[in-house]
Amino acid sequence: QVQLQESGPGLVKPSETLSLTCSVSGHSISSSPYYWGWIRQSPVKGLEWIASISDSGNTYFTPSLKSRVTISVDSSKNQFSLKLRSVTAADTALYYCARQFSWGRVMDVWGKGTTVAVSS
Amino acid sequence: DIQMTQSPSSVSASVGDRVTITCRASQDISSWLAWYQQKPGKAPQLLIYSASSLQSGVPSRFSGSGFGTDFTLTISSLQPDDFATYYCQQSNSLPPTFGGGTKVEIK
């Protein structure tokens, strides 16, 4: 059974970098044909896809966040990570990692989510 | 970005009722539509993809239909476990975008 678990700090200061890791169990992160991605949810913006990375390492980003986001994979640890730079209060949200198919556009397995607040 | 609009935003229904939720895309997305169920404090769960394909393990009382810009999620006989919020999401093009959600409440 595939399981995903997010980890990272629950509080980040404005202008700093938000860093999250998703640990995957029950499935090799290198296996085709899945992508791996991040989605966030807030009362203001609802569900918002952030970024995805394919099994071959290709990356995809939502345009509004592209300049601030990095997504990467550590196959040796079966993990993937998100970095969001220069955060503001608008980045406060519940962050989910997910396994994706259909070229990274459908999320079939989700982590439980981790809440990140941006505040000084 | 493709905008997804769901209606209604909430619906009150009783166990055994037939419930229909609609989703409209701002442009033609063919059959590239998914539906998710989210319960309070939990992550969304995939119910349907490609407009009408039932995800493995999802009860057959859930069904999806539609093509182009207009789509429907139907729960044929509402069960106690179905009270939740439902989201549509287009998978036609990047970025994938979600509707605002429809909350199914107990009448």
Side-chain angles (χ1 to χ4, degrees):
Chain A
Q1 181 182 1
V2 184
Q3 292 186 315
L4 287 74
Q5 178 67 59
E6 305 88 350
S7 60
L11 181 64
V12 182
K13 290 182 168 54
S15 79
E16 295 190 345
T17 296
L18 180 163
S19 295
L20 296 174
T21 297
C22 183
S23 298
V24 180
S25 59
H27 185 96
S28 171
I29 203 167
S30 307
S31 297
S32 300
Y34 294 103
Y35 288 35
W36 305 90
W38 292 93
I39 303 96
R40 67 183 183 181
Q41 185 173 27
S42 66
V44 173
K45 289 195 171 184
L47 285 161
E48 180 182 25
W49 171 78
I50 302 170
S52 298
I53 187 165
S54 73
D55 55 328
S56 57
N58 293 321
T59 56
Y60 307 86
F61 304 98
T62 196
S64 63
L65 298 175
K66 185 175 183 178
S67 63
R68 298 195 288 132
V69 172
T70 303
I71 187 170
S72 60
V73 163
D74 185 339
S75 299
S76 67
K77 295 182 179 179
N78 219 39
Q79 296 176 336
F80 63 104
S81 298
L82 175 77
K83 291 188 186 300
L84 179 63
R85 296 175 291 278
S86 305
V87 298
T88 70
D91 295 311
T92 294
L94 178 57
Y95 285 76
Y96 294 103
C97 60
R99 189 181 76 172
Q100 301 168 292
F101 65 97
S102 190
W103 304 284
R105 299 171 191 181
V106 180
M107 283 60 77
D108 70 335
V109 183
W110 297 64
K112 293 182 179 180
T114 188
T115 298
V116 179
V118 178
S119 175
S120 55
Chain B
D1 299 0
I2 298 174
Q3 307 304 313
M4 307 301 294
T5 304
Q6 287 182 237
S7 61
S9 57
S10 66
V11 57
S12 294
S14 301
V15 172
D17 284 354
R18 182 182 183 89
V19 173
T20 299
I21 299 168
T22 62
C23 178
R24 174 165 289 176
S26 61
Q27 63 188 72
D28 188 341
I29 59 170
S30 184
S31 295
W32 299 111
L33 186 96
W35 290 97
Y36 300 85
Q37 177 194 67
Q38 186 176 33
K39 296 178 181 178
K42 302 291 186 181
Q45 177 185 345
L46 178 65
L47 297 176
I48 287 169
Y49 60 95
S50 298
S52 60
S53 296
L54 201 65
Q55 174 68 352
S56 176
V58 174
S60 59
R61 63 181 179 272
F62 291 93
S63 64
S65 64
F67 185 87
T69 60
D70 294 311
F71 300 87
T72 299
L73 173 70
T74 299
I75 309 172
S76 60
S77 178
L78 196 67
Q79 298 301 301
D81 192 47
D82 302 338
F83 291 97
T85 300
Y86 295 83
Y87 295 93
C88 63
Q89 177 237 316
Q90 66 81 15
S91 55
N92 178 75
S93 60
L94 294 177
T97 47
F98 294 84
T102 296
K103 188 173 183 180
V104 178
E105 301 175 299
I106 301 172
K107 191 171 187 179

